[in-house]
Amino acid sequence: MKTLGEKIKNIRKLNKLNQTDFASAIGVSQGTLSELEKDKYKPSLETVIALKLNFDVDLDWLLLEGAVASNRGLFCVRIDDLESNLISGFRKLSLSDKQEIEGIVNLKLKRYSD
């Protein structure tokens, strides 16, 4: 399970920002961000709101332990850290690599449906 600090760091890294730029975007100092990422203390309500507004962070995922929650549209889908890491990695791949992985997944799914 990811801690709150690890989730904040994950948001920063997914957006390819250094601590100084990310801290500025959410209205804290670089030192404060470093402390948050190390779980030395919890973010203020203002910081949580800034994460939501600036990075469209799912607050259920950010604030609830044990699962990644995505509330989009009419459905609530919970994914674990493994699935979250796979999605994060997948987003960094080139289109051709994504298509190759899609083909592998389709082959696996076909095998299980037969």
Side-chain angles (χ1 to χ4, degrees):
M1 272 184 254
K2 288 187 180 180
T3 66
L4 181 56
E6 289 170 331
K7 290 176 183 181
I8 292 170
K9 186 174 185 175
N10 189 46
I11 296 163
R12 177 175 64 80
K13 291 193 172 267
L14 284 174
N15 285 280
K16 299 180 176 136
L17 294 172
N18 61 37
Q19 281 190 337
T20 304
D21 293 337
F22 187 74
S24 178
I26 62 171
V28 300
S29 69
Q30 184 275 324
T32 297
L33 176 60
S34 177
E35 302 278 309
L36 289 170
E37 289 184 355
K38 294 175 184 172
D39 287 304
K40 293 199 175 178
Y41 60 88
K42 304 290 184 212
S44 67
L45 179 58
E46 290 80 11
T47 301
V48 171
I49 291 169
L51 287 165
K52 172 66 178 165
L53 294 176
N54 294 324
F55 299 97
D56 194 28
V57 172
D58 185 307
L59 296 182
D60 284 343
W61 170 78
L62 181 66
L63 301 173
L64 299 177
E65 292 184 31
V68 177
S70 177
N71 296 320
R72 302 289 184 246
L74 299 174
F75 303 99
C76 179
V77 178
R78 293 200 178 274
I79 60 174
D80 60 26
D81 285 341
L82 173 63
E83 291 169 311
S84 176
N85 290 335
L86 287 170
I87 292 167
S88 296
F90 184 81
R91 288 179 175 166
K92 295 175 186 173
L93 298 174
S94 68
L95 178 60
S96 63
D97 287 341
K98 288 178 182 179
Q99 290 169 332
E100 182 180 349
I101 289 175
E102 180 185 31
I104 293 168
V105 169
N106 287 336
L107 284 173
K108 291 284 188 180
L109 290 173
K110 183 174 170 44
R111 187 174 105 192
Y112 288 109
S113 67
D114 291 339

